[in-house]
Structure formats: structure tokens, C-alpha cells
Amino acid sequence: MRKRLGRAFFNRSVHDVAPELIGAVLLFNGVGGRLVEVEAYHQSEPAAHSFRGPTRRNSVMFGPPGYAYVYRSYGIHWCLNFVCEPEGSAGAVLIRAIEPTTGLAAMRRRRGTAEMRLLCSGPGRLCEALGITGSHNGLSLAAPPFQIFAADGGAEVVAGPRIGITKAVDLPWRYGEKGSRFLSKPFGAKATLSA
DNA sequence: TGCCCGATTAACT
DNA sequence: GTTAATCGGGCAA
């Protein structure tokens, strides 16, 4: 049986947490699958929402680890983050893609497609498929509707540059499962291997 | 207040 | 390849 992840897991550096999340299982109201792509963000670098200090939108990032930070992207989509680091460090891991395994019918209905690749491959798609919205901002990751289980160690993790940002573009803080068909974008040939 | 831009996606040409 | 949808934050005035 997989180990349930709680606050202790998230109360560490985003650089430790993010690669360990690849292969972990995320369920929201019993719907979800295996995490295959995430990105790390930290207050110290300008691509992070927390870089310029607390605002109403990002306040959850400045709270304790183990909580969900959900924000609206481009005025349209929702994006899910796991708050990490000791409280006040304002780090978070953006959940970018999952391999759908559980609750396929609900995901297909919400996304309006049966195409597996299009259900959860991208941060906005994933939130729509799982039914996550801004109303879930600030919820604990250790209690329903969230259930998060540790990776079983089978995933081979690669790292590369983050996607869709214009600042700190060279930091290789995107992590994914090597060769997964459910990535939002493939990793380049020069992607490095990670623990 | 007004203007520009963004951790995106789908539907165009 | 380009563009529209649409809203909160940051910054200038």
C-alpha cells in the first residue's frame, strides 16, 4: 500500500519535494492519477508569484506547507500548486500533468473529450478534469477532498527548464517522468537525469 | 485610474 | 505559424 503524504513531506525544500512527486498519486474527490510533470517555484526567483511579497492572491504560499494554492491563469484557467518549504519561505510546486487512472468518466465529462492525452496534460486541463477551482484555494492536502500517495519508486525522473515563463528561464526546475505520453510537452534531449 | 503582461488553451490560417 | 478569451498584479501617472 502506498504511503499517504502529509505535512511532513511538504515541509522541505521544493527542490527535494518536486522530483519526489513524480510517480505519486493525486486524487481529488476520488478522481485523478499519477503525477508525471511538476515545476518548482521559490520566493527567491522572479518567476515565482511570491517573489514580490504577499498579496491576496498568493497569501496561501506564505502560510504553512501542505496546502493547495490555486490561482487563475490568463483570466481563464485554474492552476494547482502544493505549498512547500517551512512556513514563510513561500515555495510551491506547480502540478502540470497527470496520467489519468481513476474516475475517467468524470474527467471525460468535465473536459468534453474522451482523448486520454487531452484530459490532464497541462495545468489548466488537469484542474478542469479534476474539478478544481479557486474555491479550493487554501485547502489542506492531507485531508479530503485531497488524497496524495507517495511514488512507488518506479518512475525515472528527468529535469529541464520550466514552461511558459519569461523570467529565470534557465533554472532547470521542471521535473517529469521520462518518456511519459502524458507530459504537457516532451523534455528535450539535453534534459538531465534527477533523483 | 489606465495600461501592459502573464506558471494557458483551443481554434484558427 | 497566429490569435482570442479574460482577470489579477505591478507600475506609471
Side-chain angles (χ1 to χ4, degrees):
Chain A
M1 192 60 186
R2 286 171 181 258
K3 188 172 104 186
R4 184 82 175 265
L5 297 181
R7 175 161 173 173
F9 176 81
F10 296 103
N11 189 26
R12 299 179 298 141
S13 162
V14 285
H15 306 300
D16 293 330
V17 173
E20 291 181 29
L21 281 173
I22 300 303
V25 170
L26 164 66
L27 299 181
F28 186 79
N29 284 321
V31 175
R34 293 177 63 246
L35 299 183
V36 296
E37 182 184 350
V38 303
E39 287 176 359
Y41 288 86
H42 189 268
Q43 186 178 10
S44 62
E45 44 88 17
H49 285 177
S50 52
F51 180 65
R52 288 164 225 282
T55 66
R56 184 142 91 245
R57 177 173 70 155
N58 68 19
S59 63
V60 174
M61 283 187 76
F62 288 85
Y67 286 80
Y69 167 45
V70 184
Y71 71 93
R72 207 190 262 286
S73 174
Y74 289 87
I76 304 172
H77 309 288
W78 297 107
C79 294
L80 170 67
N81 297 252
F82 296 165
V83 176
C84 297
E85 308 262 347
E87 181 166 354
S89 294
V93 175
L94 171 68
I95 309 305
R96 287 195 56 89
I98 70 178
E99 175 182 334
T101 61
T102 306
L104 295 180
M107 290 192 261
R108 287 175 169 140
R109 171 171 46 79
R110 294 191 185 112
R111 292 280 300 121
T113 177
E115 191 61 44
M116 290 294 291
R117 266 259 356 180
L118 298 178
L119 291 183
C120 298
S121 296
R125 291 168 174 166
L126 172 160
C127 282
E128 186 173 40
L130 271 57
I132 295 173
T133 72
S135 69
H136 306 113
N137 187 39
L139 290 185
S140 170
L141 300 173
F146 282 103
Q147 291 175 277
I148 304 174
F149 300 95
D152 57 17
E156 190 173 355
V157 181
V158 289
R162 295 175 293 184
I163 292 180
I165 57 173
T166 59
K167 297 161 189 164
V169 293
D170 292 331
L171 297 178
W173 290 359
R174 174 181 181 233
Y175 300 94
E177 178 173 20
K178 184 179 182 182
S180 170
R181 307 186 318 275
F182 298 96
L183 300 172
S184 66
K185 285 185 185 169
F187 282 78
K190 57 183 189 215
T192 57
L193 232 50
S194 165

